[in-house]
Amino acid sequence: MDILKKIQSYREEEESLKWEGTFAEYLEMVKERPYLAQSAHSRVYNMIKHSGIEEENGKFNYKFFDNEIFGLEESMERLVEEYFHPAAKRLDVRKRILLLMGPVSGGKSTLVTLLKRGLERFSHTDEGAVYAIKGCPMHEEPLHLIPHHLREDFHDEYGIRVEGNLSPLNMMRLEKEYGSRIEDVIIERIFFSEDKRVGIGTFSPSDPKSQDIADLTGSIDFSTIAEFGSESDPRAYRFDGELNKANRGIMEFQEMLKCDEKFLWHLLSLTQEGNFKAGRFALISADEMIIAHTNESEYRSFIANKKNEALHSRMIVMPVPYNLRVAEEERIYEKMINQSDIKDVHIAPHTLKVAAMFTILTRLKETTKNNIDLLKKMRLYDGQTVEGFSDVDIEELKNEHHDEGMSGIDPRYVINRISSTIIKKEMTSINALDVLRSLKDGLSSHASISKEDRERYLNFISTARKEYDEIAKKEVQKAFVYSYEESAKTLMDNYLDNVEAYCNKAKLRDPLTGEELNPDEKLMRSIEEQIGISENAKKAFREEILIRISAYARKGKKFDYSSHERLREAIQKKLFADLKDVVKITTSTKTPDEQQLKKVNEVVATLIDEYGYNSTSANELLRYVGSLLNR
């Protein structure tokens, strides 16, 4: 019943938004709200802006793309600032076709779909309201009714510039239905809908021999010629081509460069002059944003053909590369999984991360800079701290290869391999090793991967496996330490007592014998060495700890186990090093004793309760780490 109530509520809301009135009444509304007369390009830009813009370090993040487009913030910023924004300001860029170029499954279609769905929603808001001449199949801009000789006066009074001519059909209707009384023409509010073909059109190429230009520009309705007496009577014409129906909004040209040339020539005058030729009529005005998409190889072939120069000069090419950040790639997989029927399968923590590492490595290009291999580059791009490198280095790396991200493994391949693993083995739980194995098996049957690339990709799978080994050991380490939290706190307190005595050049007192003792250098070094603190750096590190303790004390805060990230890491590693033998025994013994079993169960419970594993994946992780430690 809830969904039926929501449907009813939506229907009632749409009914309440409907409006119908005369052109004279519409002009009054335009006077109060000039944005009602915005162009298609302006409407798209305002829609994006309406969702919110965040600025950080001089870079803009458009929230409109959040949760849909991942890891392409720079590309989206360029798209908005170099195309949508200037086009909205009526600059010459609006007279260009927007061509999205990028690899398969890189997000081009997702981006266009996002814009189309966004426009549908935006047309239901006050800021995105669209009004049209009632009964017009092209939902024509009402201001086209204003005669050309009065448009300067209109601009002076309203501050709105009117472009475009009244369509042949509305010109006839104005005379026959309204007796040329412009002010009486009925105007209505319309709502964009791709399904109803209002303001959003989609053209997909098919066989050039059978596809008709009428798909774009409409066609003669032969059944009405006897009634109206002429093919040039607009009432005998169906204004139902995609260019007609997309008027006022967006026209998507799927795989544009696969189209026959005769379909593309219509775009020349539409982009440059805002009109197109149809039937035996004068040029028909259309205000729409044309978005096309293609892949790189087709684009290269297109520009190599001299016959295409005129069309090429009317394009703005926006590269849409693959995402190059591990964390964002994980989000792409999560989104794709949530949209599938495998969302109920348990995917162990770090599984998607490891798959993402492999994928990103295939997309990166080698750098000429010293001391940076692809693994370091991957970490830098992902926002991780890599000692000795700064934001400046990252920008230099990004500028080194302008085509980085235009090749490599696509997200669909990864999801296909995950799905294949689940379906073949009917598994209810998968881990990183399952996915890496499946990715490796799939390379041999991937038709578009060359032998050379396959060898590289196998190496990247090995690299991702090594990264997972470290992650797995740390995960179990954290779980053991969590289970021995009291031991960790005791060890840290002991370390801090010794550091305080060392820095103050004081002695420690044995709590049992009362004997005065020197600070335990061996204990302190055994902890500090876990995080690479050298002999020369130990004094500075200990003093830093003491300063932090004093700062906490001044603020009335207690310095505890989580107050210093590096110290906590050192304590964990030290404790785990001491526990390694316990881990080895408890994970590799086929018949563990009661005490060992208790320890294993404690760690499994921690992995389940605190780290997102289930019983199967937690036990698999423990067995795997045990095998790693026993090597």
Side-chain angles (χ1 to χ4, degrees), residues 284-326:
I284 297 173
S285 295
D287 171 32
E288 54 200 78
M289 178 186 288
I290 300 175
I291 302 182
H293 41 90
T294 189
N295 59 51
E296 195 171 6
S297 61
E298 281 180 352
Y299 175 69
R300 299 294 169 211
S301 301
F302 174 77
I303 59 173
N305 187 344
K306 295 291 183 184
K307 287 167 65 179
N308 297 324
E309 281 183 356
L311 195 58
H312 182 235
S313 68
R314 286 173 173 83
M315 288 179 178
I316 294 284
V317 181
M318 285 287 170
V320 182
Y322 284 133
N323 156 61
L324 296 176
R325 283 155 48 195
V326 172

Side-chain angles (χ1 to χ4, degrees), residues 363-374:
R363 298 172 185 171
L364 297 177
K365 291 189 177 289
E366 297 281 357
T367 176
T368 55
K369 295 185 180 296
N370 293 331
N371 304 323
I372 300 184
D373 56 16
L374 287 184

Side-chain angles (χ1 to χ4, degrees), residues 395-433:
E395 285 304 312
E396 286 179 4
L397 285 170
K398 287 179 178 177
N399 293 329
E400 191 176 5
H401 299 287
H402 292 292
D403 61 341
E404 190 167 51
M406 298 299 276
S407 61
I409 291 291
D410 64 279
R412 283 190 199 133
Y413 173 75
V414 176
I415 295 301
N416 289 347
R417 297 313 302 166
I418 290 174
S419 305
S420 175
T421 304
I422 293 166
I423 291 163
K424 276 183 185 175
K425 299 186 178 179
E426 296 182 352
M427 298 169 84
T428 57
S429 173
I430 60 169
N431 59 36
L433 295 177

Side-chain angles (χ1 to χ4, degrees), residues 417-514:
R417 297 313 302 166
I418 290 174
S419 305
S420 175
T421 304
I422 293 166
I423 291 163
K424 276 183 185 175
K425 299 186 178 179
E426 296 182 352
M427 298 169 84
T428 57
S429 173
I430 60 169
N431 59 36
L433 295 177
D434 295 322
V435 172
L436 285 176
R437 202 176 297 117
S438 183
L439 289 170
K440 182 180 179 181
D441 293 343
L443 291 177
S444 58
S445 58
H446 200 302
S448 61
I449 297 177
S450 66
K451 187 178 178 182
E452 184 184 359
D453 281 341
R454 191 173 291 118
E455 290 302 314
R456 283 177 56 242
Y457 293 174
L458 287 171
N459 287 333
F460 292 146
I461 285 176
S462 298
T463 303
R465 168 76 178 266
K466 287 173 187 169
E467 288 295 296
Y468 176 65
D469 290 351
E470 291 306 309
I471 290 169
K473 285 190 277 191
K474 282 181 182 175
E475 196 83 329
V476 173
Q477 169 189 319
K478 283 193 295 180
F480 262 86
V481 170
Y482 185 90
S483 301
Y484 293 90
E485 196 169 352
E486 286 304 314
S487 304
K489 287 177 180 175
T490 303
L491 183 60
M492 192 190 77
D493 288 341
N494 197 358
Y495 173 77
L496 292 178
D497 287 343
N498 280 277
V499 164
E500 195 172 351
Y502 170 85
C503 292
N504 294 330
K505 295 185 173 55
K507 300 263 186 186
L508 288 166
R509 191 173 294 277
D510 189 304
L512 296 176
T513 65

Side-chain angles (χ1 to χ4, degrees), residues 322-333:
Y322 284 133
N323 156 61
L324 296 176
R325 283 155 48 195
V326 172
E328 294 301 306
E329 190 73 9
E330 276 188 85
R331 294 181 68 196
I332 294 173
Y333 300 157

Side-chain angles (χ1 to χ4, degrees), residues 328-343:
E328 294 301 306
E329 190 73 9
E330 276 188 85
R331 294 181 68 196
I332 294 173
Y333 300 157
E334 285 166 4
K335 178 189 169 188
M336 293 172 83
I337 286 166
N338 288 332
Q339 292 172 344
S340 73
D341 291 335
I342 62 171
K343 61 184 178 184

Side-chain angles (χ1 to χ4, degrees), residues 510-572:
D510 189 304
L512 296 176
T513 65
E515 179 187 358
E516 285 193 335
L517 303 169
N518 287 321
D520 189 340
E521 185 65 23
K522 187 177 178 183
L523 170 76
M524 289 188 287
R525 290 302 295 141
S526 70
I527 291 169
E528 291 156 359
E529 283 169 353
Q530 300 295 330
I531 52 171
I533 303 295
S534 67
E535 185 70 28
N536 293 333
K538 69 180 184 183
K539 187 171 184 288
F541 180 73
R542 293 170 189 177
E543 287 172 348
E544 180 201 325
I545 296 288
L546 206 61
I547 290 167
R548 181 77 65 91
I549 293 170
S550 301
Y552 268 62
R554 281 199 308 275
K555 293 174 184 174
K557 291 163 68 178
K558 186 178 183 298
F559 186 91
D560 59 24
Y561 182 57
S562 60
S563 300
H564 193 286
E565 185 64 36
R566 294 194 74 205
L567 177 58
R568 182 172 64 176
E569 184 188 350
I571 296 289
Q572 285 180 351

